[in-house]
């Protein structure tokens, strides 16, 4: 019996395998037949009618041009703002300052039973009637359903609206071009719109219909304030209403008409119960305030907090994602995740990397032309397979894609009736074939040729509202990438080198993990104090100053009374979540921290104006960082001219030799004041060259470098020990320790120089006006400045050992500044300049002068970058001041007690 059973099992398994093989073979045969039989001059869109192609106008097309927001004609609302600002910013700001919550979300009794009655809105007349109904309401609930697989940017396929009496399902596909009818009710500040997790809904409504939400109550934000264990709508439906819902239906194709009974039920449920949930959560917020408040005036602060966070969401603005070159971000991601194993220098790696970039650029363009998502055109796994195998025939290309996607569970084919390779590949397989065989060798050549073939005079693909303006904007997109005809090879090589250098910089210096953890700190009365990272939470927990109240994301409640509240100080910035994206363009693949107020100034600010103040530290991508940094360097020069304080220390002189050359400094009539001392950077460079290559370099060059070092030592003969000491001149302790770790640097001499600095003001240096010295800061100086500024702010409070606040004793000598260096202040960057600027501001204008100075730098940043994604509450006029609580390490009394 056992043998028979085993035989039956074997036969069954073999049969299943055979059937599977036959199925796959038949599947490939049919698709190959379809592909080979179709003409290469045709496109699948000629026979497939996509629902969005019925739209007469779209606000966000697939071109590379930016998104244009609604511009109101009302001069009181928007003429004073930028042309692409939020059209209802004033109205939302008023709501943030004076929330309108003096009403209930329900009128009378409310039945939790979902009836069979609802209104399907699919005509313009029905939409107008709905707008009239909503205009009479004080509150209504909203939810949206999005479709993204068969669209490049995605589009809203359905809007669910519920009032106290009825549920409405709005067919936004049929009514796409007239959805502006609902714009007035959504922007009416007297009508509250209830959403759950509205961050995406707000942006989708702006993108598709120019509808802007004003006055919102987000039940997800209420859950956040109440510290609910979960914040999903499914959790609220189950715990508050006792209703179970299948969230897998969210992934259904919401373009289909008519909707299935299950989809209608799901769509209605998402909006129908929101009013009841909002009412229940509001009651909890009021109850919590009543229990925890110490006075009647604080009764509604929890509800105010939820309302404020909800309306901050309304200020978000939709923006298209931007890239330096089509598909570049996806290509970099694929190379980093899948191709690193080949080795950076192998031929296989270089060829595969180049093909990945071509395929990603081609995929991006084809997705825009056909209005498909990139994953529907060609999956990442298929790109990797093509790049590694590099098949040489169209049949092999076809089979490689089919095999890869069939083995990939994440392929969209699982949720689509169309199997891979998808129609775009079948219609344009020859493009991939030519790329692999390198008939189109250059990346810049591929895309114009393909675009002309698809949308040119005899193009194979139909024109739509989504790709109509793509051709013109694409030429603009590539204008900066095309190499000039003259010296073409050299310019192309330089361009390639710059591109490789940029990618290396991004890989090496961009943040390796999210910067903002959005952990929360609550006061002991439950009020939100700030968002922070995990390290700050651990600091309080490890000292027993707080208790953990939520784990994901972590949140703590302080066990003592904190010093003030962010909203009391006008610092709403600190109680807003922050996104890990570039605040300038929205790039989320890579970003770096950027100090809006340069560290050379900020490090010398009074403690209460800089410690734990993250307002002026933002995230920027490499391109925006470069723009901001260039503007900052230009403005530093203006500051130097305005205050008469040069940026760089131009001369240093050994203190032991200072007496012998002081007459040169004091006697300007001799014209020899610049002969005393030498640039600290030139001194170190000369000493390093002599130590490493002195015996091998030409005698004339060696003598030239020796004279440079002798200028520091007053002209006397120098020894190898003097050269080693010269390497450390002008360095901060951090820079010295870094140098000591390199070979050939004596720790003994480092200690001697450091001790000499502390004992006797080791270096006297002469600071000459930058205009009188034609020497410009070198690239090395700029790199060192960046390095020191990073070290200076890593401690979180703006101070560090490497570039800390120092004491300089200044004396005036016939117009030239003679300084005595403190051992902590580096002479190679802008540290002395920054310290003198801050000291002048404090002396002449007090702390108000420093605040005005900060506002000037914020204005420089805004004018240069034009940031579109700044966190809520960020403001040019931010005060930055804070008071220190009892347990703060920056409390002046605590510092005095430890000294």
């Amino acid at each position: 019996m056992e043998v028979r059973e085993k035989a039956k099992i074997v036969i069954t398994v073999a049969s299943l395998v055979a059937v599977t093989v036959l199925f796959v073979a038949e599947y490939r045969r049919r698709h190959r037949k379809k592909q080979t039989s179709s003409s290469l001059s045709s496109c699948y869109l000629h026979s497939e009618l996509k629902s969005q192609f019925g739209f007469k106008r779209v606000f966000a097309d697939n071109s590379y041009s930016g998104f244009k927001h609604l511009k109101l004609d009302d001069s009181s609302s928007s003429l004073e703002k930028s042309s692409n600002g939020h059209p209802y910013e004033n109205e939302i700001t008023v709501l943030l300052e004076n929330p309108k919550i003096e009403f209930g979300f329900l009128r009378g009794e409310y039945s939790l039973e979902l009836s069979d009655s609802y209104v399907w809105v699919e005509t313009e007349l029905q939409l107008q009637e709905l707008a009239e109904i909503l205009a009479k309401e004080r509150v209504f609930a909203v939810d949206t359903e999005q479709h993204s697989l068969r669209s490049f940017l995605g589009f809203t396929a359905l809007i669910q609206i519920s009032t106290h009496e009825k549920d409405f399902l709005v067919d936004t596909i049929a009514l796409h071009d007239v959805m502006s009818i609902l714009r007035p009710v959504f922007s009416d500040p007297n009508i509250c719109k209830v959403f759950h997790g509205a961050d995406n809904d707000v942006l989708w409504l702006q993108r598709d219909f120019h509808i802007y939400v004003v006055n919102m109550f987000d039940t997800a934000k209420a859950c956040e304030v109440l510290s609910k264990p979960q914040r999903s709508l499914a959790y609220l439906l189950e715990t508050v209403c006792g209703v179970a819902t299948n969230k897998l239906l969210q992934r259904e194709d919401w373009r289909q008409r008519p909707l299935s009974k299950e989809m209608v039920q799901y769509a209605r449920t998402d909006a129908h119960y929101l009013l009841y949930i909002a009412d229940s959560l509001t009651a909890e917020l009021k109850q919590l305030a009543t229990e925890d408040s110490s006075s009647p005036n604080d009764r509604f602060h929890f509800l105010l907090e939820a309302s404020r966070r909800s309306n901050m969401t309304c200020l978000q603005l939709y923006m298209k994602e931007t890239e330096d070159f089509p598909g570049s971000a996806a290509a970099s991601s694929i190379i980093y995740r899948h191709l690193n194993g080949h080795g950076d220098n192998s031929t296989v790696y270089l060829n595969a990397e180049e093909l990945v970039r071509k395929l990603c650029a081609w995929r991006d363009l084809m997705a825009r032309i056909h209005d498909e998502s990139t994953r529907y055109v060609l999956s990442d796994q298929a790109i990797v397979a093509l790049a590694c195998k590099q098949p040489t025939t169209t049949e092999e290309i076809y089979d490689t894609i089919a095999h890869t996607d069939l083995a990939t569970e994440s392929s969209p084919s699982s949720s689509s009736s169309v199997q891979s390779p998808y129609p775009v590949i079948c219609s344009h397989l020859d493009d991939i074939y030519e790329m692999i065989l390198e008939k189109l060798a250059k990346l810049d050549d591929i895309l114009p040729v393909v675009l002309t073939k698809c949308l040119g005079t005899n193009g194979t693909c139909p024109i739509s509202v989504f790709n109509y303006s793509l051709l013109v904007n694409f030429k603009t997109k590539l204008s900066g990438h095309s190499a000039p005809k003259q010296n073409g090879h050299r310019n192309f090589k330089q361009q390639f080198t710059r591109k490789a250098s940029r990618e290396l910089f991004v890989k090496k210096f961009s943040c390796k993990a999210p910067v903002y953890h959005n952990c929360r700190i609550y006061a002991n009365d439950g009020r939100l104090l700030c968002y922070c990272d995990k390290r700050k939470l651990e600091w309080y927990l490890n000292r027993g100053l707080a208790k953990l109240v939520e784990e994901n994301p972590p949140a703590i409640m302080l066990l003592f009374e904190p010093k003030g509240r962010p909203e009391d100080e006008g610092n709403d910035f600190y109680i807003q979540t922050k996104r890990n994206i570039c605040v300038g363009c929205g790039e989320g693949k890579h970003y770096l921290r950027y100090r809006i107020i340069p560290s050379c100034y900020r490090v010398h600010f009074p403690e209460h104006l800089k410690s734990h103040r993250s307002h002026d530290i933002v995230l920027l991508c490499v391109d925006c960082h470069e723009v901001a940094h260039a503007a900052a360097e230009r403005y530093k020069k203006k500051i130097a001219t305005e205050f008469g304080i040069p940026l760089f220390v131009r001369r240093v002189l050994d203190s032991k030799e200072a007496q012998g050359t002081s007459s040169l400094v004091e006697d300007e009539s001799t014209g020899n004041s610049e002969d005393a001392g030498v640039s600290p950077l030139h001194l170190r460079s000369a000493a390093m060259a002599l130590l490493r290559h002195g015996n091998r370099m030409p005698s004339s060059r060696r003598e030239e470098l020796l004279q440079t070092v002798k200028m520091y030592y007053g002209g006397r003969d120098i020894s190898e020990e003097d050269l080693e000491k010269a390497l450390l001149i002008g360095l901060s302790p951090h820079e010295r320790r870094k140098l000591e770790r390199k070979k050939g640097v004596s720790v003994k001499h480092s200690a001697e120089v450091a001790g000499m600095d502390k004992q006797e003001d080791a270096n006297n240096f002469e600071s000459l006006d930058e205009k009188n010295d034609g020497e410009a800061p070198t690239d090395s100086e700029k790199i060192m400045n960046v390095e020191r500024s990073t070290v200076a702010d890593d401690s979180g409070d703006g101070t560090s050992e490497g570039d800390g606040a120092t004491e300089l004793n200044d004396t005036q000598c016939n117009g030239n500044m003679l300084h005595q260096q403190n051992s902590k202040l580096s002479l190679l960057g802008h540290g002395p300049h920054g310290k003198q600027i801050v000291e002048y501001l404090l002396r002449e204008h007090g702390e108000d002068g420093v605040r005005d100075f900060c506002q000037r730098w914020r204005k420089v940043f805004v004018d240069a970058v034009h940031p579109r994604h700044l966190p809520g509450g960020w403001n040019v006029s931010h005060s930055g001041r804070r008071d220190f609580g009892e347990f703060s390490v920056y409390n002046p009394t605590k510092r005095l007690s430890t000294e």
Side-chain angles (χ1 to χ4, degrees):
M1 290 295 294
E2 294 181 0
V3 176
R4 287 185 178 180
E5 292 294 332
K6 290 182 179 179
K8 288 181 179 179
I9 294 174
V10 171
I11 292 172
T12 302
V13 172
S15 300
L16 290 174
V17 172
V19 170
T20 303
V21 171
L22 290 173
F23 174 77
V24 173
E26 179 67 14
Y27 154 77
R28 292 179 186 167
R29 185 186 67 79
R30 290 185 178 182
H31 278 271
R32 187 180 292 112
K33 182 179 179 181
K34 177 182 177 181
Q35 187 272 327
T36 54
S37 62
S38 62
S39 171
L40 290 178
S41 63
S42 65
C43 176
Y44 71 99
L45 290 179
H46 288 293
S47 57
E48 179 182 343
L49 182 61
K50 299 176 70 174
S51 56
Q52 63 265 39
F53 283 179
F55 301 163
K56 295 181 180 179
R57 179 189 179 188
V58 291
F59 296 111
D61 59 26
N62 296 341
S63 69
Y64 295 96
S65 58
F67 181 79
K68 295 182 179 180
H69 283 274
L70 174 69
K71 186 175 182 180
L72 299 177
D73 295 331
D74 184 3
S75 59
S76 63
S77 296
S78 62
L79 280 185
E80 295 182 358
K81 302 189 186 75
S82 63
S83 59
N84 214 27
H86 199 297
Y88 298 97
E89 182 178 352
N90 291 341
E91 291 83 349
I92 298 173
T93 302
V94 171
L95 287 172
L96 289 172
E97 297 173 354
N98 301 290
K100 297 184 178 182
I101 54 174
E102 298 300 325
F103 63 88
F105 290 98
L106 299 176
R107 300 193 302 269
E109 295 184 0
Y110 186 83
S111 175
L112 289 178
E113 293 185 5
L114 188 64
S115 67
D116 295 333
S117 174
Y118 69 93
V119 180
W120 178 263
V121 181
E122 60 180 348
T123 67
E124 185 174 352
L125 179 60
Q126 288 177 309
L127 190 64
Q128 290 174 345
E129 292 174 352
L130 174 60
E132 293 173 2
I133 292 173
L134 297 179
K136 299 175 184 178
E137 298 287 335
R138 297 197 62 187
V139 59
F140 59 86
V142 187
D143 191 29
T144 67
E145 301 300 338
Q146 167 95 350
H147 179 79
S148 59
L149 177 61
R150 300 297 307 276
S151 173
F152 184 73
L153 296 175
F155 62 89
T156 304
L158 187 73
I159 293 181
Q160 307 96 283
I161 298 176
S162 291
T163 65
H164 187 77
E165 292 83 12
K166 291 183 181 180
D167 298 331
F168 300 88
L169 299 184
V170 182
D171 185 353
T172 53
I173 296 178
L175 298 171
H176 181 276
D177 298 322
V178 294
M179 285 299 296
S180 58
I181 292 173
L182 293 182
R183 188 180 299 149
V185 294
F186 274 87
S187 59
D188 190 339
N190 296 312
I191 303 175
C192 179
K193 278 66 69 173
V194 180
F195 285 79
H196 181 87
D199 297 82
N200 287 328
D201 298 300
V202 166
L203 300 180
W204 294 340
L205 292 172
Q206 294 176 11
R207 176 197 64 195
D208 296 335
F209 315 119
H210 269 180
I211 288 178
Y212 296 81
V213 182
V214 179
N215 191 356
M216 176 202 295
F217 186 83
D218 191 334
T219 52
K221 300 297 183 185
C223 288
E224 189 177 288
V225 174
L226 289 168
S227 299
K228 294 283 187 181
Q230 296 183 39
R231 301 189 188 113
S232 68
L233 182 56
Y235 167 79
L236 290 176
L237 286 170
E238 185 173 353
T239 57
V240 178
C241 306
V243 175
T245 183
N246 181 11
K247 276 298 175 181
L248 292 178
L249 290 170
Q250 188 177 25
R251 302 173 62 182
E252 289 293 316
D253 186 354
W254 289 94
R255 299 175 303 161
Q256 63 177 280
R257 297 291 184 268
L259 298 177
S260 67
K261 183 178 179 180
E262 293 77 15
M263 295 173 71
V264 170
Q265 182 83 357
Y266 170 83
R268 289 185 61 198
T269 300
D270 274 5
H272 177 82
Y273 293 99
L274 272 182
L275 294 179
Y276 183 82
I277 291 173
D279 194 71
S280 300
L281 294 178
T282 301
E284 289 188 48
L285 290 167
K286 293 179 180 179
Q287 180 64 27
L288 188 61
T290 304
E291 293 175 354
D292 292 357
S293 63
S294 57
S295 66
N297 293 332
D298 291 336
R299 182 171 182 178
F300 292 100
H301 67 266
F302 284 94
L303 185 54
L304 291 174
E305 177 68 21
S307 176
R308 179 164 49 243
R309 295 190 198 182
S310 299
N311 282 307
M312 285 300 300
T313 305
C314 298
L315 284 174
Q316 292 184 107
L317 282 174
Y318 173 77
M319 280 197 66
K320 289 184 181 180
E321 293 185 4
T322 57
E323 295 181 291
D324 292 334
F325 198 79
S328 60
S332 299
S333 175
I334 291 173
I335 293 169
Y336 178 78
R337 290 185 289 116
H338 298 286
L339 297 184
N340 282 342
H342 291 295
D344 292 345
N345 298 319
S346 69
T347 304
V348 175
Y349 173 82
L350 294 176
N351 291 339
E353 178 181 350
E354 182 63 20
L355 185 54
V356 165
R357 297 191 185 282
K358 291 179 181 179
L359 289 172
C360 285
W362 177 86
R363 179 180 68 172
D364 180 89
L365 182 57
M366 299 307 282
R368 293 174 185 270
I369 291 174
H370 298 84
D371 195 36
E372 305 282 9
S373 64
T374 54
R375 60 196 173 105
Y376 189 81
V377 176
L378 189 62
S379 65
D380 288 354
Q381 292 78 9
I383 288 178
V384 173
L386 291 172
C388 294
K389 296 179 181 180
Q390 298 195 8
T392 56
T393 66
T394 55
E395 290 78 10
E396 290 179 359
I397 293 172
Y398 186 95
D399 288 341
T400 299
I401 297 173
H403 270 300
T404 304
D405 286 341
L406 194 62
T408 305
E409 295 180 358
S410 61
S411 170
S413 61
S414 59
S415 59
S416 173
S417 60
V418 181
Q419 299 295 321
S420 172
Y422 303 111
V424 179
I425 297 296
C426 296
S427 297
H428 302 278
L429 193 61
D430 56 330
D431 290 343
I432 300 179
Y433 174 75
E434 292 180 0
M435 280 187 285
I436 294 178
L437 294 186
E438 296 188 350
K439 291 184 178 180
L440 292 173
K442 295 182 180 180
L443 184 61
D444 287 348
D445 294 339
I446 293 173
L447 302 182
V449 170
V450 172
L451 187 65
T452 303
K453 183 193 299 185
C454 292
L455 298 179
T457 305
N458 299 315
T460 61
C461 303
I463 299 293
S464 71
V465 292
F466 296 95
N467 61 28
Y468 180 78
S469 59
L470 184 60
L471 188 60
V472 174
N473 287 292
F474 186 78
K475 290 178 180 178
T476 304
K477 180 75 175 177
L478 289 181
S479 61
H481 293 267
S482 301
K485 293 183 179 179
Q486 57 179 352
N487 300 325
H489 177 73
R490 185 178 65 183
N491 287 320
F492 177 78
K493 183 177 180 181
Q494 291 176 348
Q495 181 187 31
F496 179 81
T497 303
R498 285 196 300 270
K499 184 177 181 181
S501 176
R502 179 185 181 278
E503 291 179 354
L504 180 62
F505 183 88
V506 170
K507 185 176 180 180
K508 185 173 182 180
F509 293 106
S510 62
C511 299
K512 304 301 186 294
V515 174
Y516 301 123
H517 299 161
N518 288 320
C519 303
R520 286 156 294 139
I521 297 181
Y522 292 99
N524 52 2
D525 60 359
R527 297 172 70 179
L528 180 65
L529 291 177
C530 67
Y531 285 87
C532 65
D533 60 15
K534 294 179 181 178
R535 287 188 301 174
K536 188 167 185 177
L537 262 63
E538 292 170 356
W539 188 91
Y540 284 104
L541 292 172
N542 292 339
R543 289 161 176 76
L545 300 175
K547 63 179 180 180
L548 188 67
V549 295
E550 192 169 340
E551 294 185 356
N552 189 24
I556 61 172
M557 180 174 289
L558 301 182
L559 301 178
F560 60 91
E561 176 61 28
K563 187 76 172 179
R565 299 288 193 278
E567 62 268 27
D568 297 338
E569 302 171 3
N571 292 332
D572 284 348
F573 170 83
Y574 296 100
I575 54 175
Q576 308 297 330
T577 57
K578 299 175 182 63
R579 301 170 64 190
N580 288 290
I581 61 173
C582 169
V583 301
C585 65
E587 169 65 54
K589 302 293 184 181
H590 71 270
Y591 39 78
L592 304 86
R593 291 182 181 89
Y594 177 77
R595 277 80 177 169
I596 295 176
I597 302 169
S599 297
C600 64
Y601 305 112
R602 184 179 183 273
V603 74
H604 302 296
F605 286 178
E607 206 70 66
H608 56 274
L609 293 181
K610 68 179 179 181
S611 67
H612 291 274
R613 300 285 86 177
S614 60
H615 181 272
D616 296 315
I617 301 177
V618 296
L619 300 183
L620 292 179
C621 67
V622 169
D623 298 321
C624 292
H625 195 287
E626 183 178 359
V627 171
H629 178 73
E633 290 302 308
R634 290 192 297 269
Y635 199 69
K636 280 183 185 178
K637 294 179 181 179
K638 291 184 179 181
I639 293 292
T641 302
E642 177 183 343
F643 289 86
I645 300 174
L647 286 174
F648 290 94
V649 173
R650 292 302 179 184
R651 296 287 184 267
V652 289
L653 180 65
D654 184 8
S655 60
K656 295 180 180 178
E657 311 297 335
Q659 296 296 327
T661 59
S662 60
S663 60
L664 295 177
V665 177
E666 294 176 2
D667 187 4
E668 286 188 320
S669 63
T670 63
N672 293 328
S673 62
E674 293 188 9
D675 294 337
V678 65
S679 161
L681 185 63
H682 286 176
L683 171 64
R684 294 184 64 252
S685 300
M688 180 65 76
L690 289 169
L691 283 172
R692 290 183 174 179
H693 313 292
N695 296 330
R696 298 192 299 272
M697 65 176 55
S699 57
S700 58
R701 177 59 176 164
R702 185 172 186 274
E703 184 61 29
E704 180 183 348
L705 295 178
L706 282 173
Q707 290 300 323
T708 298
V709 179
K710 286 181 180 180
M711 290 178 66
Y712 171 73
Y713 288 107
R716 66 174 176 82
D717 292 335
I718 57 174
S719 63
E720 184 174 337
E721 181 178 349
D722 292 328
L723 292 177
E724 291 190 354
K725 289 182 178 180
L727 288 179
L728 306 174
I729 298 303
L731 297 183
S732 67
H734 170 78
E735 294 165 335
R736 287 173 183 164
R737 287 194 298 270
K738 185 175 180 180
L739 188 61
E740 289 166 12
R741 290 193 291 267
K742 297 181 180 179
K743 292 183 179 180
V745 180
S746 171
V747 177
K748 177 184 69 175
H749 296 311
S750 173
E752 290 177 2
V753 173
M756 182 173 63
D757 284 341
K758 292 180 180 179
Q759 275 186 332
E760 57 180 39
D761 296 323
N763 298 298
N764 298 332
F765 57 86
E766 181 183 5
S767 176
L768 303 177
D769 193 331
E770 192 172 8
K771 293 183 294 184
N772 297 331
D773 192 331
E775 178 188 7
T778 65
D779 292 338
S780 300
E781 290 175 300
K782 294 177 181 178
I783 293 173
M784 291 178 183
N785 292 339
V786 172
E787 180 180 339
R788 275 188 299 281
S789 68
T790 303
V791 173
D793 272 356
D794 277 348
S795 61
D797 62 353
T799 62
S800 78
E801 199 173 13
D803 199 2
T806 60
E807 294 297 332
L808 297 181
N809 299 320
D810 302 339
T811 57
Q812 186 74 24
C813 294
N814 295 328
N816 293 326
M817 300 297 291
L818 186 64
H819 303 284
Q820 294 177 331
Q821 183 207 1
N822 180 279
S823 61
K824 288 187 177 181
L825 187 62
S826 171
L827 303 186
L828 303 182
H830 301 161
H833 160 83
K835 179 173 176 59
Q836 294 174 66
I837 292 290
V838 174
E839 286 180 341
Y840 173 84
L841 291 172
L842 290 172
R843 182 174 60 250
E844 298 295 328
H845 307 287
E847 292 183 2
D848 289 338
V850 174
R851 293 192 186 94
D852 292 340
F853 187 69
C854 293
Q855 291 179 17
R856 291 171 62 178
W857 278 105
R858 294 182 192 122
K859 187 70 166 56
V860 169
F861 171 75
V862 170
D863 291 343
V865 180
H866 303 291
R868 304 297 305 156
H869 298 273
L870 284 167
W874 194 94
N875 198 304
V876 170
S877 59
H878 177 76
S879 68
R881 181 185 175 88
R882 68 165 295 177
D883 295 323
F884 301 109
E886 177 185 357
F887 299 100
S888 174
V889 295
Y890 302 107
N891 190 311
T893 58
K894 189 168 185 178
R895 284 197 161 187
L896 290 174
S897 63
T898 57
E899 292 177 353

